[in-house]
Amino acid sequence: MTEQAFLQVAVQKATQTAEGSAIEARPDQVAVEEPLEIRLGYGPADRRQQRSISITMRTPGQDAELAAGFLLSEGIIRGGGEIETVRPVGSAVGPAAAHNVVQIELRPMVAVDLGRLERHFYTTSSCGVCGKSSLEALELQQAPALDEHAPRISASVIYGLPDKLRQSQTVFDRTGGLHAAALFDAKGNLLAIREDVGRHNAVDKLVGSQLWAARLPLRDKGILVSGRASFELMQKTLMAGCPMLVAVGAPSSLAVELAVRFRMTLLGFVRDRRFNIYSGAWRLV
C-alpha cells in the first residue's frame, strides 16, 4: 500500500469530562476513497475492441493487482499469461494524486465472453431473488477444482489468525477505516496482505498479487478477511482455486450455500479463541 492510502485532515475532537464536554482541534488521518475504472482491450490484432467493464470505489494502490484479480474472479481470464499489458491511463487527480483509470490489454488469442460479466452484474449478492442463478453462473464459469485434502489446519492455528492480521494492518493503524484480506498457509504464516476501503477490492488485490507471481491456484492455502463473508468474497476465493475462507465476521446465507455446493471450508466469527464451522470441517485437524 502506498502513501496514497491515507490523507491528513483537520478535525475537532469532543471528549466527555467531569465538567461536560471538551472540544479541541487536532489532525487526523483518513483512508482515501477514489473511483477506479477498469478498461479492457481484447480481440485479434486487426479487430481490437475496447470496453469499460467496471467502476469501483477503492483505496489507491495496487491497482494492477485489483484489476487482474477482478478479471480472474469474474471468469474473464484464466491466468496472468492471458494479460499482455496493464497501465494507468490519464492524469493523476484528486488530493491523493491517483490515476483513476487502468487499461488492461489481453493477448490477441484470448477469447472473451463479456456475457459472464453482464450476468454477474445482474445476479449480485445484494439481490435476494437471484441466489440460484448466481450459483449456476459460477458452475458455468468452470471454477477450478479444489483439493479435498488440503490445507489441513489445526484449530489452534485458526485462533491466532485475527491477531496476526490486525498486527499487519499498517494503514488501518493510521485510519481505522480499511478492510483487509490475507493469504495464509497451514502453519498460520501470513504470506501476503492487502487493505482497501472495499472488502471485495482487498480480496481482488490479494488474488491479483498471487496471479502476477504465478502462484495460482491457491490449492493448499486459505484466505482470511477482516469483516464478514459474502457471496462475492466466496466467489473470488473459489475462482482463485482456494478451498478455505476464514472471516472475522458473519457469513451470509448464500456464502454458506456456495461453500457447501463447492465443498469449500467456511469459518465465521473467528475471534476470542472460538469460531463457527459452516462447511468443510474435514480440513480442520
Side-chain angles (χ1 to χ4, degrees), residues 41-49 105-112:
Y42 61 96
D46 59 341
R47 297 192 306 277
R48 296 293 284 179
Q49 298 187 55
E105 293 290 338
L106 300 185
R107 297 191 184 280
M109 73 289 294
V110 177
V112 174

Side-chain angles (χ1 to χ4, degrees), residues 4 32-36 58-61 63 88-101:
Q4 293 177 326
V32 173
E33 183 177 34
E34 291 277 350
L36 179 70
R58 97 308 189 188
T59 300
D63 289 339
V89 177
S91 303
V93 298
H99 291 272
N100 288 340
V101 180

Side-chain angles (χ1 to χ4, degrees), residues 18-48:
E19 293 76 25
S21 294
I23 297 179
E24 61 175 330
R26 56 169 293 178
D28 192 18
Q29 292 176 327
V30 297
V32 173
E33 183 177 34
E34 291 277 350
L36 179 70
E37 178 184 1
I38 301 174
R39 296 178 184 173
L40 185 67
Y42 61 96
D46 59 341
R47 297 192 306 277
R48 296 293 284 179

